[in-house]
Amino acid sequence: MECYFDNAATTQVRPEVAEAMIPYFTESFGNPSSIYKIAQKNKNAVEHGREQVANAINAEVNEIYFTAGGSEADNWAIKGIAESYANKGKHIITSCIEHHAVLHTCEYLETKGYEVTYLPVDEYGMISIEDLKNAIRKDTILITIMFANNEIGTIEPIKEIGAIARENGIIFHTDAVQAVGHIKIDVKEMNIDMLSMSGHKFYGPKGIGALYIKKGIKLNPLIHGGAQERRRRAGTENVPGIVGMGLAAELATKELDTEIPRLTALRDKLIKEILEKVPYSRLNGHPVNRLPGNANISFEFIEGEGILLLLDYKGICASSGSACTSGSLDPSHVLLAIGLPHEKAHGSVRLSMGHFTTEEQVDYVIKEIPPIIERLRQMSPLYEEFIKNKGEK
Ligand SMILES: *Cc1c(COP(=O)(O)O)cnc(C)c1O
């Protein structure tokens, strides 16, 4: 059975989304800035996409700016605020479990004279509101905390963070790439000033994303050039991408009321059964405040890479931590931040479900995982030693 359990890395484009995009590659290929009729149709398509994206997070239409993805939106928000508000201060607060698009941007700014506080997280991957309050200084210009973590699925206390940022007159950005289209978001109610999202994480195309910028926020452009996106983001619009992302956002948010309970039930079944069937395994991330489709489990004594290979033989696609870190032997910064020792962090697997995941697939994964873990442990010197020591006690 083919089981794609890596929806946190990317998702399959919905067929209706792909279909809606096609005319904008072929007959309707005009540049939205041109004045003839086919171009006008494209301009309207872009504005319709903007409206669909705005509705998904309860923003105003003119607060949405299209980018080439989540990484660009994160870079723009953070570098843009750093530059625009440098005369107010040079201190930024973030967390130590952010996606690399945020972490590496903050590290870059540190080389340019900015100071960054990386808030720690608890064993579940939650930041503490007390820590946040204590980190705020007179020269703090930006708080950037992710909505939900891409590896362990933990959902951060965004509304509380937004309230504190507002009280202190500090701009609040959130990387919501894992959250948009998966859980409910209301930028007004949650006091969010800027929010990053990416089309390919909610069944839209890759290479298209958006940054929500609340009206009144000063933000220098990242990409200079033409006057597109109200002079804030240059470059000819990715019309098919915007059409696809807009429709994908609309469909995903419309289905939240049914998809959240469906995926939560599948997730909890997967977690419960695996933890029951496999000894010396543990769940990473928050047991309740977590993304509906995310399960991240550590298996002691073995390597995540080995598990992924054997899962692949069985047609199961999963991931050990973040896709960006595969290829490196360092354990995930997120798993280390929640306090896992290196050897447990190494034996971790992320199984992320989504719109196309069925209960049959979940049952199949539940059936296949225990013998794979058992087989790898039989080859593990760590496990052999553990069993030997146990026998001697
Ligand atoms: C995938 C992801 C990104 C990067 O988005 P791209 O569109 O792939 O550039 C940023 N942040 C988080 C939390 C992500 O999951």
Side-chain angles (χ1 to χ4, degrees):
M1 193 187 295
E2 285 301 316
C3 293
Y4 183 74
F5 274 54
D6 205 12
N7 285 277
T10 195
T11 59
Q12 181 188 339
V13 175
R14 288 172 185 254
E16 61 268 53
V17 166
E19 203 173 312
M21 291 170 68
I22 288 172
Y24 295 92
F25 290 107
T26 52
E27 68 260 30
S28 239
F29 60 86
N31 186 322
S33 303
S34 306
I35 58 163
Y36 29 76
K37 268 202 243 50
I38 61 162
Q40 197 55 47
K41 185 181 166 201
N42 290 358
K43 191 169 172 45
N44 294 342
V46 167
E47 293 318 308
H48 182 56
R50 199 184 308 282
E51 200 177 313
Q52 289 169 310
V53 167
N55 289 342
I57 58 169
N58 195 28
E60 301 300 319
V61 179
N62 59 11
E63 293 175 322
I64 300 296
Y65 297 82
F66 289 110
T67 66
S71 298
E72 185 192 322
D74 285 341
N75 270 261
W76 183 16
I78 299 167
K79 290 175 187 165
I81 291 298
E83 205 177 84
S84 308
Y85 289 80
N87 57 354
K88 188 194 162 202
K90 291 192 152 190
H91 179 238
I92 294 168
I93 300 172
T94 186
S95 84
C96 57
I97 61 161
E98 298 295 312
H99 188 273
H100 285 141
V102 168
L103 276 186
H104 290 168
T105 303
C106 288
E107 286 163 16
Y108 165 77
L109 287 174
E110 285 185 285
T111 71
K112 300 285 169 193
Y114 290 83
E115 277 184 77
V116 182
T117 300
Y118 299 90
L119 296 177
V121 291
D122 67 12
E123 59 184 311
Y124 300 119
M126 287 276 229
I127 70 141
S128 125
I129 294 296
E130 268 321 293
D131 287 348
L132 173 65
K133 283 183 186 161
N134 292 334
I136 291 174
R137 316 192 318 207
K138 259 207 201 71
D139 60 343
T140 306
I141 51 171
L142 175 68
I143 296 171
T144 172
I145 307 275
M146 71 198 323
F147 208 114
N149 185 268
N150 46 301
E151 292 187 38
I152 57 174
T154 300
I155 300 169
E156 298 298 333
I158 292 301
K159 194 174 168 183
E160 287 87 336
I161 300 168
I164 287 162
R166 183 98 1 131
E167 268 168 40
N168 288 275
I170 301 167
I171 292 166
F172 173 37
H173 165 254
T174 185
D175 173 347
V177 173
Q178 289 289 331
V180 173
H182 299 280
I183 51 179
K184 290 189 179 169
I185 300 179
D186 183 326
V187 291
K188 294 198 173 86
E189 189 205 307
M190 296 172 163
N191 289 316
I192 298 168
D193 296 313
M194 293 192 292
L195 176 148
S196 304
M197 66 176 98
S198 177
H200 76 99
K201 300 287 174 77
F202 52 82
Y203 321 105
K206 296 171 185 49
I208 182 77
L211 181 64
Y212 148 79
I213 310 172
K214 191 184 153 83
K215 208 169 145 228
I217 301 252
K218 241 184 355 175
L219 190 73
N220 286 359
L222 180 71
I223 309 286
H224 296 90
Q228 292 90 355
E229 299 296 285
R230 295 184 298 285
R231 300 186 175 276
R232 289 179 114 172
R233 200 281 186 181
T236 303
E237 297 85 345
N238 175 355
V239 182
I242 291 169
V243 167
M245 176 172 168
L247 180 57
E250 181 179 311
L251 294 173
T253 26
K254 218 188 272 172
E255 288 170 1
L256 283 181
D257 283 332
T258 50
E259 278 295 84
I260 292 175
R262 186 184 77 88
L263 283 169
T264 303
L266 289 183
R267 175 198 76 191
D268 289 345
K269 178 178 188 184
L270 183 73
I271 293 170
K272 182 171 166 279
E273 301 257 333
I274 291 177
L275 295 188
E276 267 174 23
K277 291 190 161 78
V278 182
Y280 312 110
S281 59
R282 59 158 270 162
L283 175 71
N284 297 314
H286 199 284
V288 182
N289 291 331
R290 70 185 300 129
L291 289 170
N294 175 294
N296 186 312
I297 298 176
S298 288
F299 301 99
E300 271 190 71
F301 317 113
I302 52 177
E303 293 282 332
E305 306 303 310
I307 308 171
L308 295 190
L309 279 175
L310 294 189
L311 284 173
D312 191 24
Y313 279 124
K314 297 287 181 181
I316 301 165
C317 304
S319 155
S320 59
S322 165
C324 324
T325 46
S326 64
S328 117
L329 287 175
D330 293 335
S332 131
H333 65 287
V334 177
L335 297 176
L336 295 181
I338 61 172
L340 284 197
H342 276 239
E343 64 280 9
K344 280 191 197 173
H346 272 302
S348 304
V349 171
R350 178 185 70 190
L351 298 158
S352 47
M353 293 155 280
H355 178 71
F356 298 101
T357 310
T358 64
E359 181 150 22
E360 289 68 48
Q361 291 177 323
V362 170
D363 290 338
Y364 176 74
V365 171
I366 290 169
K367 176 168 77 73
E368 294 298 335
I369 282 192
I372 287 176
I373 304 301
E374 180 58 26
R375 186 173 152 200
L376 288 168
R377 281 181 178 163
Q378 290 312 322
M379 303 188 287
S380 156
L382 284 173
Y383 188 60
E384 193 183 353
E385 198 182 302
F386 171 79
I387 294 298
K388 206 175 110 216
N389 290 342
K390 217 175 119 192
E392 283 168 6
K393 276 206 189 118

